Amino acid sequence: MGSPSGPPFDPDDPDRARRERDTEPIPRIDPEDPAGYGPGPYADADDAGYGSAYTGEGRSGRAWTRDPDGFPDQPISEDELAGLRSDASGMAPRRVLPLEDEPSSLVARYLFPTERYRGEWKRHWIHLTTPIIVGVAATFVLGYLSGFLAGRDVGALTTVAVLLWFAVMGWVAWKVADWWYDRFILTNKRVMVVNGIITRQVAMMPLTRVTDMKYEQSPTGRALNYGTFVLESAGQEQALRVIKNLPNPNELYLRVVEEMYEPQAVEARLGKEADEAKADDGA
């Protein structure tokens, strides 16, 4: 037999301990306890809720691969749905029902029986800025002229000034009435604008033909919450394209987009709200 290789054993050799440590056999790793921590809250990956989602080995000797069946779909509870209906700041959910349950008599005549009414809006009061300013200015001017002509024998001029003031105020009243009868209407099939007192104008665009939609808000519009809607259609001639001074444009934009892309969700939500209202009335 040959003698073992290497230097003879020397008990006083200072490097002997290091060599013995380096040549120690590597202990076998327990696949059930790769970190050597023993049983604990994370010893069994399946009990922690992660073992069913991954298979194979990792740092502990197992390769990890994604198991598509490891995370089954969870149903959404009513509380979670209520949270989705709230905005990001946690405020109350935005209104999804029509502003009125039934269309006004002004609008109802333009809707056919199979059409679902979603709401109607008058233009923002900023639309009356010019008539109001003109009416106030005319009143101040008449008051000044009345005081100026009071001590002079010019009764004819005073009469003319009063008649002019009545004419201006009549024009202001006409503009206010025209604003009152001017409506933007949304249904499940189209958007409409109805305006005019003597000469009535009805413009509409099917939702299926709307290829692009946007709204614009000036700094004043953002402060007072109004904006201008621009609707683009696939056709070249458009009876309805720019609608100015609509109130709450963000809410209106969401309503129109939801009606275009998620009509089933709108119907389901409105039906649920109606059932809840009937249940409350029955209680």
Side-chain angles (χ1 to χ4, degrees):
M1 292 179 62
S3 59
S5 60
F9 175 77
D10 184 0
D12 298 329
D13 186 0
D15 296 331
R16 181 173 61 85
R18 178 180 57 79
R19 288 197 302 270
E20 290 178 353
R21 184 175 65 251
D22 293 342
T23 57
E24 285 181 353
I26 299 175
R28 181 177 177 272
I29 298 177
D30 185 0
E32 299 298 330
D33 185 17
Y37 296 124
Y42 303 103
D44 190 352
D46 292 340
D47 293 340
Y50 302 102
S52 61
Y54 298 92
T55 59
E57 293 187 3
R59 291 195 311 172
S60 61
R62 288 177 288 181
W64 297 83
T65 59
R66 180 60 183 259
D67 182 3
D69 298 329
F71 297 96
D73 294 336
Q74 298 294 330
I76 300 177
S77 65
E78 287 296 324
D79 293 338
E80 291 172 326
L81 287 175
L84 291 174
R85 297 188 189 104
S86 302
D87 57 20
S89 61
M91 301 298 290
R94 66 183 181 87
R95 184 180 176 90
V96 294
L97 289 174
L99 299 181
E100 300 292 342
D101 294 336
E102 297 293 335
S104 64
S105 58
L106 174 67
V107 173
R109 69 186 68 177
Y110 303 110
L111 304 180
F112 50 90
T114 59
E115 201 168 15
R116 302 293 181 88
Y117 170 78
R118 298 299 188 225
E120 59 185 86
W121 293 263
K122 294 190 294 290
R123 296 182 192 261
H124 193 271
W125 60 263
I126 200 71
H127 195 69
L128 297 174
T129 301
T130 300
I132 291 175
I133 292 176
V134 171
V136 171
T139 302
F140 275 104
V141 170
L142 177 64
Y144 174 78
L145 286 177
S146 298
F148 178 77
L149 300 174
R152 295 172 175 79
D153 188 13
V154 287
L157 291 179
T158 304
T159 302
V160 171
V162 172
L163 292 176
L164 287 175
W165 180 82
F166 273 112
V168 171
M169 297 309 295
W171 175 81
V172 172
W174 178 272
K175 288 295 184 181
V176 173
D178 185 66
W179 167 80
W180 177 262
Y181 286 103
D182 190 352
R183 305 292 174 90
F184 176 83
I185 304 133
L186 174 65
T187 72
N188 66 327
K189 298 182 181 296
R190 54 180 172 163
V191 292
M192 303 171 60
V193 170
V194 177
N195 56 21
I197 300 176
I198 297 177
T199 302
R200 185 61 54 86
Q201 298 178 356
V202 180
M204 58 82 65
M205 180 183 294
L207 291 176
T208 55
R209 293 188 60 189
V210 178
T211 58
D212 189 20
M213 181 181 66
K214 66 178 180 179
Y215 72 89
E216 302 171 350
Q217 280 186 292
S218 64
T220 306
R222 295 182 63 184
L224 299 178
N225 198 20
Y226 71 91
T228 297
F229 271 72
V230 180
L231 303 176
E232 298 290 346
S233 173
Q236 295 181 354
E237 296 295 333
Q238 302 177 40
L240 180 63
R241 185 176 183 273
V242 179
I243 311 106
K244 297 181 178 180
N245 301 329
L246 287 177
N248 201 358
N250 187 68
E251 170 71 12
L252 185 55
Y253 176 84
L254 292 176
R255 283 173 177 264
V256 176
V257 171
E258 189 175 35
E259 198 65 52
M260 291 170 59
Y261 296 105
E262 296 291 343
Q264 296 85 358
V266 178
E267 292 291 343
R269 185 166 53 245
L270 293 178
K272 182 178 179 180
E273 296 286 349
D275 293 340
E276 291 177 353
K278 291 181 180 178
D280 293 340
D281 293 339

